[in-house]
Amino acid sequence: MSETTDTAAGGRRGGRTVSKSTPDEVMGLACGLPLTRSVLRSVVADATPGQLGVLADLFRAENASRMESRRARLIRSAGFPCVKGFDGYDWGMASFPADWGREQLMDLGFVDRAEDLVLYGDVGCGKTHMAIATGMLACERGMPVGFFTASSLVMRLRRARDENRLDAELRAIGRARLLVVDELGYLPIDIDGARLLFQVIADSYEKRSVVFTTNLEFGRWGEVFGDGDMAAAVIDRIVHHGRIVRFRGESYRNSHSLMR
């Protein structure tokens, strides 16, 4: 059998396997690459089966390389305090709603639907680990993520406002499809900072998912925002499109009854 025939059948060339491909498949693989489509279409139309296989392998490898570079870039820009995944995670600490659980968390459908999550429980029970791992998973699937502690987010917004670039900062934060606001309630926030934080949450409503980690039940969120009405408005948005994951801890009350 000749080299051309071997290659057309998905054989080997130069010590490597060459895939068997069609013109349509090659054009599809080149869709996201900076190529002149009309020139490529002309080349593909005249290519032998073996040449199509080489082109398909090239474009497949290039697309995979670009996706990996995008994942790495998203993880770097997300602002995670450390790298954590779900491998070895202690799921026994978390109690999910009856109609929603581990599988729904990890398929990230809630991000596509711009739904929120509240990870609630005492310090040291795995809330931040879950939040980071969820954000990492989103990055690996090509989704922009922003990770902030509540206090660092307020400081960032306050600095942007003082430098007359608050609108630009809000737009930059709004590019994320998933926001993580970690440690809500761990440190006090004055009313000015609370208003800035509320603006981010309000702007995210039905546009992107927000994951909160907190050690405070909803009844105490007024302490965070310094205003009961502002806290109620935030809680109302979360309840409308959100769920709570309860972590083992003595301070848990009945806040998860407010969530679907």
Side-chain angles (χ1 to χ4, degrees):
M1 183 179 289
S2 68
E3 181 184 4
T4 302
T5 305
D6 284 342
T7 304
R12 299 178 65 83
R13 170 178 289 177
R16 62 182 177 81
T17 301
V18 178
S19 63
K20 182 178 180 180
S21 303
T22 66
D24 287 344
E25 181 183 5
V26 171
M27 293 299 295
L29 288 167
C31 184
L33 303 178
L35 302 169
T36 304
R37 305 291 292 174
S38 59
V39 173
L40 177 62
R41 189 173 290 108
S42 175
V43 170
V44 166
D46 295 331
T48 67
Q51 290 168 338
L52 288 174
V54 171
L55 286 172
D57 290 344
L58 171 64
F59 295 156
R60 194 175 289 111
E62 179 66 19
N63 282 321
S65 175
R66 291 185 179 205
M67 180 56 72
E68 184 57 35
S69 295
R70 175 172 168 77
R71 291 189 191 104
R73 186 171 63 254
L74 289 172
I75 290 171
R76 286 195 304 271
S77 64
F80 298 118
C82 57
V83 174
K84 288 183 179 289
F86 283 117
D87 289 345
Y89 184 74
D90 183 4
W91 293 94
M93 299 291 286
S95 177
F96 290 91
D99 63 340
W100 198 89
R102 175 176 172 177
E103 181 179 345
Q104 287 76 19
L105 173 72
M106 296 185 69
D107 72 14
L108 300 181
F110 76 97
V111 179
D112 292 329
R113 295 186 294 273
E115 296 171 351
D116 299 328
L117 287 180
V118 176
L119 310 183
Y120 167 66
D122 287 341
V123 175
C125 30
K127 303 184 303 296
T128 296
H129 187 156
M130 179 180 284
I132 293 172
T134 301
M136 291 277 294
L137 194 59
C139 289
E140 289 167 3
R141 297 182 187 175
M143 300 178 185
V145 176
F147 186 102
F148 309 92
T149 63
S151 58
S152 69
L153 178 56
V154 168
M155 286 190 293
R156 179 170 176 164
L157 294 168
R158 201 193 307 272
R159 183 167 57 250
R161 184 199 58 194
D162 293 345
E163 296 172 357
N164 294 316
R165 54 179 183 82
L166 180 59
D167 288 345
E169 188 67 42
L170 289 170
R171 285 194 300 272
I173 293 170
R175 294 190 188 104
R177 289 184 57 190
L178 172 65
L179 289 178
V180 178
V181 180
D182 193 30
E183 299 181 347
L184 183 70
Y186 284 60
L187 294 174
I189 301 173
D190 62 24
I191 188 65
D192 179 62
R195 290 193 183 101
L196 291 169
L197 180 58
F198 176 79
Q199 188 168 353
V200 170
I201 297 170
D203 287 348
S204 298
Y205 181 57
E206 295 189 329
K207 296 177 184 175
R208 65 192 61 85
S209 292
V210 183
V211 174
F212 302 89
T213 75
T214 184
N215 62 340
L216 297 180
E217 63 268 21
F218 280 156
R220 296 182 59 192
W221 279 31
E223 301 172 19
V224 177
F225 290 94
D227 182 299
D229 291 338
M230 196 185 306
V234 171
I235 293 167
D236 183 64
R237 284 165 169 78
I238 295 170
V239 170
H240 185 210
H241 290 304
R243 294 174 176 84
I244 190 168
V245 178
R246 174 172 61 91
F247 288 75
R248 191 181 304 163
E250 295 298 322
S251 66
Y252 175 65
R253 297 294 188 269
N254 294 319
S255 56
H256 112 261
S257 66
L258 295 172
M259 312 298 286
R260 295 182 293 133

